[in-house]
Amino acid sequence: MNECGDRRWKPSQPSLCALLFHCALAGFVAGQTGPQPPADVSALKNLSLEQLSQIEVTSPTKEPTPAFRSPTAIYVITSEDIRRSGARTIPDVLRLAPGVEVAQIDSSKYSIGIRGFGTRNSRDVLVLIDGRTVYTPLFAGTYWEVQDYLLEDIDRIEVIRGPGGTIWGPNAVNGVINIITKSSKETQGGYAQAGGGNMEQGFLSARYGGAAGTDLTWRAYAKAFDRGPEYHPDHDNFDDWRGTQAGFRSDWTPNTRDTYTLQGDVYTQKDGERVGFSTYVPPVTGTRDGYADASGENILFRWKRAYSDRSDLQVQTYWDRTARHEPNFGEIRDTFDIDLLARTGLPGRQELLYGVEGRVSPDHFLEAVSGLVFSPLHRTDYLVSLFLEDDIALVDRKLTLTLGSKLLRTNYTGYNPEPSARLIWTPNDKQAIWTAYTHAIRTPSDAEEDFNLSSYLGMASGYEFFARFGPNPNFAPEQLNGYELGYRRMLGKNLYIDTALFYNHYHNLFSEDIAGPLTLEGNLPFPVPAQPPLHLLLPAQFRNDFYGFSTGGEIAPEWRPTTWLRLRGSYSYLNMNLSTHLPVALGQSPLAVERSSPRHQATAQASFDMTKKLQLDLLYRYVS
């Protein structure tokens, strides 16, 4: 499944040359047709801790809610945090959030997990960009290397640690990462940036925003980069990486009730990678270096109408095409999605949220090597979901109960509910205590139900050994029952603390298992020599034989002793305990899955505003 096993933990290390270019050119501004980008940055700088805690987030309910009053373990990475981090990619930015594990596999590929289960494709984390899901049902997960954007145009990244299936549907099992870009009204005028160094060998980005009257604003951007390979002891530098991307966004507010957004992107990349392969005439197994050619385009439209302070309707629809041509497989996929969400105020201090979503995703698989194929080659994945949530203010502005459920159906599952119950108590404006129960699922992927893989293992005792992974039409959704407890408090005006504890119980987890005994095989589904030696075949399948639980917690304090110094930190603890129904597994054992995620993570950051034009940020990161 093209999963790399190398999980080296590395901090991002921009070169000195790149930093110098960044400092020299980041402030370049072209055009004088509107307010300039630094305005919103300055506003964020001047916010107090209390004001920052009240930043409205949309990920917990799809409706604006102050982060302080959200009954979820949510962490907001603001545009100011991104700017001061020095990060060059979205995965590097995510290292700022507690409970998120980010491992770099090679120059372009990352393994990202939330509260454990980090994998190449992050199959238990749902990732969205402005509400557009970038989760692929082929191998279940997100290709992080193609999730790129102009970082200066990202307004914030909302990270939910814990299940979010009730709101967002399937695959939001361990968390949700929602990347939200700025309105085009906030990016007027021109911006350009360029640089280069020994790792970031060259990068260039530009953006220009304008307005048509007072109601319609727009922006367009383009960027390109060329990154060198990672260091390899054998000097086989296979993983260089380059790409280009462009896009636009337009926002129209014709009156006080309606807002319209139209946006789109197009990209192309060439990622160097090393993949495994097998051939059968002659029988050979090994690795192959090559390039993954990835390209795509998308367009999204969103309309929101406000009927009152407590009632509104929003409609979002998008089309997304992705094409991947890797050395060992290829895929072309189109995704069409429409999502309707309504909010209605009810008597008795209640608000009802309800909606419906439909998605259809025709896919065409391209066979690149013998032995790895999907059957059928053409398929159409679909998803239909209904959503209902009731926010009940038991005590006005002090005690709120939220009950809800998502009911979904896909081409691989019947009807599955994802219920949740959340309770938050805010005795005053300085502290909040919340607790939650959520049931979430990860739906089967094409790989688990339609995947055929035959692999040559070698020769011994006069026999040639092959392994064959067959499709498993009975692969069941992975299941999670999650229990959470959180506490937030403002200690005076200068100290803020946010904590969360969790207990997650899993069953039907993904496993790679032997599906039967060794058998003599004279008719493999791929070309093999008809003459001796004999072939021994080990049948295997993807199954649901892992189960267990995880416990842990996160704490994220922030202290501002003076107006020019900001001190932040975080600590995350994770304990995983997994088991299997079978004594032997072909792939990772439960213990290996447990050890693939760090038990302890910690960060400490000091941000100095030394003068009005000079800033210094120091960051320490520890991963066990």
Side-chain angles (χ1 to χ4, degrees):
M1 294 176 63
N2 199 28
E3 294 268 342
C4 274
D6 186 357
R7 296 173 49 84
R8 295 163 290 175
W9 291 81
K10 304 175 184 178
S12 176
Q13 296 180 345
S15 65
L16 177 60
C17 182
L19 288 175
L20 291 175
F21 270 99
H22 178 80
C23 292
L25 295 177
F28 172 77
V29 177
Q32 303 295 328
T33 61
Q36 302 305 313
D40 62 305
V41 174
S42 300
L44 276 175
K45 288 181 188 177
N46 297 327
L47 288 180
S48 66
L49 278 179
E50 188 170 2
Q51 290 171 322
L52 280 172
S53 70
Q54 298 299 323
I55 287 180
E56 290 189 335
V57 294
T58 57
S59 296
T61 63
K62 292 190 179 181
E63 286 285 347
T65 305
F68 187 81
R69 293 182 175 272
S70 174
T72 56
I74 188 167
Y75 189 88
V76 181
I77 304 173
T78 67
S79 58
E80 175 73 352
D81 296 332
I82 296 172
R83 185 183 70 84
R84 299 191 68 152
S85 71
R88 300 293 307 157
T89 66
I90 290 175
D92 283 333
V93 172
L94 294 174
R95 297 180 193 271
L96 299 175
V100 180
E101 55 190 67
V102 181
Q104 191 166 352
I105 298 170
D106 61 23
S107 177
S108 63
K109 297 175 181 59
Y110 290 82
S111 168
I112 295 180
I114 296 179
R115 294 178 174 176
F117 297 98
T119 63
R120 159 78 171 86
N121 291 115
S122 310
R123 64 174 176 258
D124 296 306
V125 177
L126 185 66
V127 183
L128 308 108
I129 300 179
D130 287 326
R132 172 177 58 90
T133 178
V134 294
Y135 188 100
T136 173
L138 182 69
F139 285 128
T142 299
Y143 290 110
W144 282 102
E145 62 271 21
V146 297
Q147 310 314 323
D148 197 12
Y149 208 79
L150 196 63
L151 294 183
E152 290 74 16
D153 287 354
I154 294 178
D155 180 67
R156 64 190 185 276
I157 300 178
E158 298 176 0
V159 180
I160 292 181
R161 310 182 306 277
T166 301
I167 297 296
W168 295 104
N171 310 316
V173 177
N174 277 8
V176 177
I177 297 173
N178 195 5
I179 302 164
I180 300 170
T181 64
K182 297 176 181 177
S183 166
S184 57
K185 186 177 181 181
E186 301 175 23
T187 53
Q188 298 290 282
Y191 175 87
Q193 183 185 64
N198 61 336
M199 292 181 65
E200 287 267 355
Q201 296 181 348
F203 61 89
L204 172 66
S205 58
R207 176 249 294 151
Y208 189 81
T214 58
D215 301 330
L216 178 64
T217 57
W218 58 269
R219 70 165 175 263
Y221 78 93
K223 62 176 298 187
F225 65 88
D226 188 349
R227 294 192 176 101
E230 296 245 302
Y231 170 75
H232 303 282
D234 60 2
H235 303 292
D236 191 358
N237 299 324
F238 62 87
D239 56 337
D240 54 325
W241 181 26
R242 63 190 64 91
T244 58
Q245 181 164 321
F248 75 95
R249 172 166 173 162
S250 178
D251 295 278
W252 182 38
T253 310
N255 51 58
T256 58
R257 295 198 307 167
D258 297 299
T259 57
Y260 299 86
T261 298
L262 180 67
Q263 62 190 88
D265 307 279
V266 58
Y267 68 87
T268 180
Q269 286 190 11
K270 187 176 285 288
D271 309 332
E273 62 181 10
R274 175 172 291 165
V275 300
F277 76 96
S278 289
T279 62
Y280 306 97
V281 184
V284 174
T285 185
T287 60
R288 175 183 296 174
D289 293 350
Y291 284 96
D293 293 315
S295 61
E297 49 269 344
N298 64 79
I299 189 164
L300 178 147
F301 171 76
R302 181 169 52 251
W303 167 55
K304 183 172 183 178
R305 164 163 286 192
Y307 297 102
S308 68
D309 292 341
R310 301 181 61 201
S311 298
D312 55 55
L313 170 70
Q314 54 180 315
V315 179
Q316 176 178 282
T317 183
Y318 66 82
W319 165 72
D320 189 346
R321 160 164 283 205
T322 59
R324 297 185 67 86
H325 300 273
E326 301 198 30
N328 58 346
F329 80 94
E331 181 202 24
I332 300 174
R333 177 180 295 274
D334 290 282
T335 301
F336 304 88
D337 184 278
I338 184 167
D339 187 9
L340 289 82
L341 178 69
R343 179 175 62 119
T344 302
L346 298 177
R349 296 192 297 267
Q350 294 187 69
E351 280 191 356
L352 195 64
L353 289 169
Y354 49 96
V356 59
E357 180 180 13
R359 183 183 307 154
V360 61
S361 183
D363 174 67
H364 175 54
F365 181 82
L366 306 172
E367 185 177 358
V369 296
S370 62
L372 193 162
V373 67
F374 285 74
S375 180
L377 293 176
H378 305 272
R379 72 185 54 75
T380 298
D381 297 313
Y382 72 84
L383 177 147
V384 179
S385 68
L386 301 173
F387 163 66
L388 178 66
E389 181 178 281
D390 192 5
D391 294 333
I392 308 167
L394 301 176
V395 180
D396 189 27
R397 295 189 59 82
K398 291 186 181 296
L399 185 63
T400 301
L401 174 65
T402 301
L403 301 173
S405 182
K406 177 86 78 172
L407 180 66
L408 63 97
R409 179 182 175 88
T410 74
N411 51 304
Y412 288 129
T413 64
Y415 290 100
N416 286 272
E418 294 188 284
S420 74
R422 297 180 179 272
L423 183 69
I424 184 168
W425 178 45
T426 52
N428 51 56
D429 292 335
K430 302 295 184 181
Q431 58 181 324
I433 303 172
W434 62 270
T435 185
Y437 160 77
T438 310
H439 177 72
I441 68 169
R442 180 183 74 82
T443 55
S445 67
D446 297 332
E448 287 144 346
E449 296 224 2
D450 299 326
F451 185 64
N452 289 274
L453 173 65
S454 292
S455 179
Y456 175 63
L457 302 179
M459 186 169 179
S461 303
Y463 292 94
E464 287 183 340
F465 286 81
F466 289 83
R468 181 200 294 164
F469 272 92
N472 182 3
N474 298 315
F475 191 91
E478 293 185 340
Q479 306 277 339
L480 163 70
N481 290 309
Y483 306 86
E484 299 176 274
L485 177 66
Y487 179 67
R488 304 183 182 103
R489 180 157 189 177
M490 286 288 306
L491 299 171
K493 295 183 178 180
N494 301 323
L495 181 60
Y496 176 74
I497 189 168
D498 189 357
T499 61
L501 302 173
F502 65 89
Y503 172 83
N504 290 336
H505 180 260
Y506 301 90
H507 57 283
N508 289 349
L509 289 179
F510 171 90
S511 62
E512 301 173 31
D513 297 329
I514 298 173
L518 278 170
T519 59
L520 286 171
E521 180 71 18
N523 186 27
L524 286 171
F526 303 99
V528 297
Q531 65 273 14
L534 293 175
H535 303 82
L536 280 174
L537 177 68
L538 180 65
Q541 273 186 334
F542 299 128
R543 292 188 172 179
N544 302 98
D545 288 320
F546 284 4
Y547 64 94
F549 65 88
S550 66
T551 59
E554 304 97 18
I555 181 170
E558 181 170 343
W559 182 35
R560 294 191 180 181
T562 69
T563 57
W564 51 268
L565 176 61
R566 180 184 184 188
L567 301 174
R568 287 179 292 172
S570 68
Y571 169 71
S572 304
Y573 172 76
L574 173 67
N575 175 53
M576 300 178 69
N577 191 323
L578 302 180
S579 303
T580 179
H581 294 292
L582 296 179
V584 179
L586 275 179
Q588 283 187 312
S589 67
L591 182 60
V593 175
E594 294 172 15
R595 292 180 174 176
S596 68
S597 295
R599 176 164 290 195
H600 306 277
Q601 292 190 95
T603 62
Q605 184 173 2
S607 300
F608 300 87
D609 292 328
M610 304 178 73
T611 70
K612 290 184 177 180
K613 297 184 178 181
L614 181 62
Q615 297 173 332
L616 174 66
D617 288 85
L618 306 175
L619 177 64
Y620 172 81
R621 181 180 300 111
Y622 169 78
V623 179
S624 68

